[in-house]
Amino acid sequence: QVQLVESGGGSVQAGGSLGLSCAASRFTYAYMGWFRQAPGKEREGVAVISSVRDRIYADFVKGRFTIFRDNAKNTLYLQMNSLQPEDTAMYYCAAGRVMSLRQGDFDNWGQGIQVTVSS
């Protein structure tokens, strides 16, 4: 098991930016990702990065969000720009063994952190 702790969420107006961090107890999983869940909706994949920094993004964040990792610090990041109200959700950090945006492919999860975007 890997402990994952998210930080950096908060509230921002539409068009603004926020950065999320996820501190891992160790980086033993090759794939680290960000997922989100809005009220009344299913959890969905946002972005995933491999240990060699290959990346995949959900279509709805391409060009706006960037995922990156610092292996020396065991920390995962998500830089979110041009935020919109529809980006409002609980954001989760996850670790898994597959390059995938499917939550079922990830078996270690953080507690989540709220991001709220107002219009």
Side-chain angles (χ1 to χ4, degrees):
Q1 282 291 76
V2 175
Q3 279 70 54
L4 302 170
V5 180
E6 301 95 339
S7 62
S11 298
V12 67
Q13 289 192 324
S17 299
L18 279 176
L20 303 181
S21 300
C22 172
S25 56
R26 57 188 184 278
F27 260 6
T28 54
Y29 286 78
Y31 303 97
M32 300 292 297
W34 289 98
F35 291 74
R36 71 185 189 184
Q37 187 168 18
K41 295 187 177 181
E42 292 188 357
R43 192 172 299 185
E44 59 186 359
V46 174
V48 172
I49 186 169
S50 73
S51 58
V52 295
R53 297 179 174 81
D54 293 324
R55 299 172 174 88
I56 56 173
Y57 292 95
D59 287 344
F60 53 79
V61 301
K62 282 181 181 177
R64 300 189 299 126
F65 292 10
T66 302
I67 187 171
F68 53 106
R69 62 192 286 170
D70 185 332
N71 290 337
K73 295 182 178 179
N74 290 348
T75 303
L76 177 72
Y77 303 92
L78 184 69
Q79 178 62 39
M80 303 182 292
N81 298 327
S82 301
L83 284 161
Q84 300 301 317
E86 52 266 34
D87 294 315
T88 296
M90 188 73 78
Y91 283 71
Y92 297 88
C93 171
R97 305 184 189 277
V98 179
M99 190 67 162
S100 164
L101 291 172
R102 296 187 301 267
Q103 63 168 324
D105 291 327
F106 288 75
D107 49 16
N108 284 266
W109 294 86
Q111 293 299 307
I113 193 162
Q114 181 67 36
V115 170
T116 302
V117 185
S118 58
S119 57

